[in-house]
Coordinates of all heavy atoms in Angstrom, one line a residue:
A31 N 64.2 -13.8 92.7 CA 64.6 -15.0 91.9 C 65.5 -14.5 90.8 O 66.6 -15.2 90.5 CB 63.4 -15.8 91.4
F32 N 65.2 -13.5 90.1 CA 65.9 -13.1 88.9 C 67.0 -12.1 89.1 O 68.0 -12.0 88.4 CB 65.0 -12.5 87.8 CG 64.2 -13.6 87.1 CD1 62.8 -13.7 87.3 CD2 64.8 -14.4 86.1 CE1 62.0 -14.6 86.6 CE2 64.0 -15.4 85.4 CZ 62.6 -15.5 85.7
E38 N 66.4 -10.7 82.8 CA 65.4 -11.7 82.5 C 64.0 -11.3 83.1 O 63.0 -11.8 82.7 CB 65.8 -13.0 83.1 CG 67.1 -13.6 82.4 CD 67.7 -14.7 83.3 OE1 68.2 -14.4 84.4 OE2 67.7 -15.9 82.9
L83 N 56.4 -18.2 79.5 CA 57.0 -16.9 79.5 C 57.9 -16.7 80.7 O 59.0 -16.1 80.5 CB 55.9 -15.8 79.4 CG 55.0 -15.9 78.2 CD1 53.8 -15.0 78.5 CD2 55.7 -15.5 76.9
L84 N 57.5 -17.1 81.8 CA 58.3 -16.9 83.0 C 58.1 -18.1 84.0 O 56.9 -18.6 84.1 CB 57.9 -15.6 83.8 CG 58.2 -14.3 83.1 CD1 57.4 -13.2 83.8 CD2 59.7 -14.0 83.3
L85 N 59.1 -18.4 84.7 CA 58.9 -19.4 85.8 C 60.0 -19.1 86.9 O 61.2 -18.9 86.5 CB 59.2 -20.8 85.2 CG 59.3 -22.0 86.2 CD1 58.0 -22.2 86.9 CD2 59.7 -23.3 85.5
A86 N 59.5 -18.9 88.1 CA 60.5 -18.5 89.1 C 60.0 -19.0 90.5 O 58.8 -19.2 90.7 CB 60.7 -17.0 89.2
V87 N 61.0 -19.2 91.4 CA 60.7 -19.7 92.7 C 61.6 -18.9 93.7 O 62.8 -18.5 93.3 CB 61.1 -21.2 92.9 CG1 61.0 -21.7 94.3 CG2 60.2 -22.1 91.9
R91 N 63.5 -21.1 98.7 CA 62.7 -22.4 98.5 C 63.2 -23.2 97.3 O 62.5 -24.0 96.8 CB 61.2 -22.0 98.4 CG 60.6 -21.2 99.5 CD 60.7 -22.0 100.8 NE 59.9 -23.2 100.8 CZ 58.7 -23.3 101.3 NH1 58.1 -22.3 101.8 NH2 58.1 -24.5 101.2
H92 N 64.4 -22.8 96.8 CA 64.9 -23.6 95.7 C 65.2 -25.0 96.1 O 65.5 -25.3 97.2 CB 66.2 -23.0 95.1 CG 66.0 -21.7 94.3 ND1 67.0 -21.0 93.7 CD2 64.8 -21.2 93.9 CE1 66.5 -20.0 93.0 NE2 65.2 -20.1 93.1
R93 N 65.2 -25.9 95.1 CA 65.6 -27.3 95.2 C 64.7 -28.1 96.1 O 65.1 -29.1 96.7 CB 67.0 -27.5 95.6 CG 68.0 -26.8 94.6 CD 67.8 -27.1 93.2 NE 68.4 -28.4 92.7 CZ 69.6 -28.6 92.3 NH1 70.4 -27.5 92.2 NH2 70.1 -29.8 91.9
E94 N 63.4 -27.7 96.2 CA 62.4 -28.4 97.0 C 61.4 -29.1 96.0 O 60.5 -29.8 96.4 CB 61.6 -27.5 97.9 CG 62.4 -26.9 99.0 CD 61.5 -26.0 99.9 OE1 60.3 -26.2 100.0 OE2 62.1 -25.2 100.6
G95 N 61.6 -28.9 94.7 CA 60.7 -29.5 93.7 C 59.6 -28.5 93.2 O 58.8 -28.9 92.4
V96 N 59.6 -27.3 93.7 CA 58.5 -26.4 93.4 C 58.6 -26.0 91.9 O 57.6 -25.9 91.2 CB 58.6 -25.1 94.3 CG1 57.5 -24.1 93.9 CG2 58.5 -25.5 95.7
G97 N 59.8 -25.7 91.4 CA 60.0 -25.3 90.0 C 59.5 -26.4 89.1 O 58.8 -26.2 88.1
M98 N 59.9 -27.6 89.4 CA 59.5 -28.8 88.5 C 57.9 -29.0 88.6 O 57.3 -29.3 87.6 CB 60.2 -30.0 88.9 CG 60.0 -31.2 88.0 SD 60.5 -30.8 86.3 CE 62.1 -31.6 86.2
R99 N 57.4 -28.7 89.8 CA 55.9 -28.9 90.0 C 55.2 -27.8 89.1 O 54.2 -28.2 88.4 CB 55.6 -28.6 91.4 CG 54.1 -28.6 91.7 CD 53.3 -29.9 91.3 NE 53.8 -31.0 92.0 CZ 53.4 -31.4 93.2 NH1 52.4 -30.7 93.8 NH2 53.9 -32.5 93.8
E119 N 61.9 -19.7 76.1 CA 63.3 -19.1 75.9 C 63.9 -19.0 77.3 O 63.3 -18.6 78.3 CB 63.1 -17.7 75.3 CG 63.4 -17.7 73.8 CD 62.5 -16.7 73.1 OE1 61.9 -15.8 73.7 OE2 62.3 -16.9 71.9
V120 N 65.2 -19.3 77.3 CA 66.0 -19.2 78.6 C 67.4 -18.7 78.3 O 67.9 -19.0 77.2 CB 66.0 -20.6 79.2 CG1 66.6 -21.7 78.3 CG2 66.7 -20.6 80.6
N124 N 71.7 -20.3 82.1 CA 70.8 -20.4 83.2 C 70.7 -21.8 83.7 O 70.5 -22.7 83.0 CB 69.5 -19.8 82.8 CG 68.5 -19.7 84.0 OD1 68.6 -20.4 85.0 ND2 67.7 -18.6 83.9
P125 N 71.0 -22.0 85.1 CA 70.9 -23.4 85.6 C 69.5 -24.0 85.4 O 69.4 -25.3 85.4 CB 71.1 -23.2 87.1 CG 71.8 -21.9 87.2 CD 71.3 -21.0 86.1
A126 N 68.5 -23.2 85.1 CA 67.1 -23.8 84.8 C 67.2 -24.7 83.6 O 66.3 -25.6 83.5 CB 66.2 -22.6 84.6
S128 N 68.9 -27.2 83.1 CA 68.9 -28.6 83.6 C 67.5 -29.1 83.9 O 67.2 -30.3 83.6 CB 69.7 -28.8 84.9 OG 71.0 -28.4 84.8
M129 N 66.7 -28.2 84.5 CA 65.3 -28.6 84.8 C 64.5 -28.9 83.5 O 63.8 -29.8 83.4 CB 64.7 -27.5 85.6 CG 63.3 -27.8 86.1 SD 62.6 -26.5 87.1 CE 62.4 -25.2 86.0
Y130 N 64.7 -28.0 82.5 CA 63.9 -28.1 81.3 C 64.4 -29.4 80.5 O 63.5 -30.1 80.0 CB 64.1 -26.9 80.4 CG 63.6 -25.6 81.0 CD1 64.3 -24.4 81.0 CD2 62.4 -25.6 81.6 CE1 63.8 -23.2 81.6 CE2 61.8 -24.4 82.2 CZ 62.6 -23.3 82.2 OH 62.1 -22.1 82.7
S132 N 65.5 -32.1 81.9 CA 65.1 -33.3 82.6 C 63.6 -33.5 82.3 O 63.1 -34.6 82.5 CB 65.5 -33.4 84.0 OG 64.9 -32.3 84.7
Ligands
COA1 C1 64.9 -22.4 87.8 C2 64.1 -22.4 89.1 C3 62.6 -22.0 88.8 C4 64.1 -23.9 89.6 O1 63.2 -23.9 90.7 P1 63.4 -25.0 91.9 O2 62.2 -25.0 92.7 O3 64.7 -24.8 92.6 O4 63.6 -26.3 91.0 P2 63.3 -27.8 91.5 O5 63.7 -28.0 92.9 O6 62.0 -28.3 91.1 O7 64.5 -28.6 90.6 C5 64.1 -29.6 89.7 C6 65.4 -30.1 89.0 O8 65.9 -29.1 88.2 C7 67.3 -29.1 88.2 N1 67.8 -27.8 88.8 C8 67.1 -26.9 89.4 N2 67.8 -25.8 89.8 C9 69.1 -26.2 89.4 C10 70.4 -25.5 89.6 N3 70.5 -24.3 90.2 N4 71.5 -26.1 89.1 C11 71.4 -27.3 88.5 N5 70.2 -28.0 88.4 C12 69.1 -27.4 88.8 C13 67.7 -30.3 89.1 O9 67.8 -31.4 88.2 C14 66.5 -30.4 90.0 O10 66.4 -31.6 90.5 P3 67.1 -32.0 91.9 O11 67.0 -30.9 92.9 O12 66.5 -33.3 92.3 O13 68.6 -32.2 91.5 C15 64.7 -21.5 90.1 O14 66.1 -21.8 90.2 C16 64.6 -20.0 89.8 O15 63.6 -19.4 90.2 N6 65.6 -19.5 89.2 C17 65.6 -18.0 88.9 C18 64.5 -17.7 87.8 C19 64.8 -18.4 86.5 O16 66.0 -18.3 86.0 N7 63.8 -19.0 85.9 C20 63.9 -19.8 84.7 C21 63.9 -18.9 83.4 S1 62.3 -18.3 83.1

Side-chain angles (χ1 to χ4, degrees):
F32 285 108
E38 297 163 292
L83 301 167
L84 289 167
L85 172 62
V87 173
R91 305 297 299 263
H92 282 180
R93 305 306 282 268
E94 293 181 23
V96 179
M98 189 60 98
R99 173 61 60 86
E119 260 143 20
V120 59
N124 189 324
S128 300
M129 184 178 69
Y130 297 135
S132 64

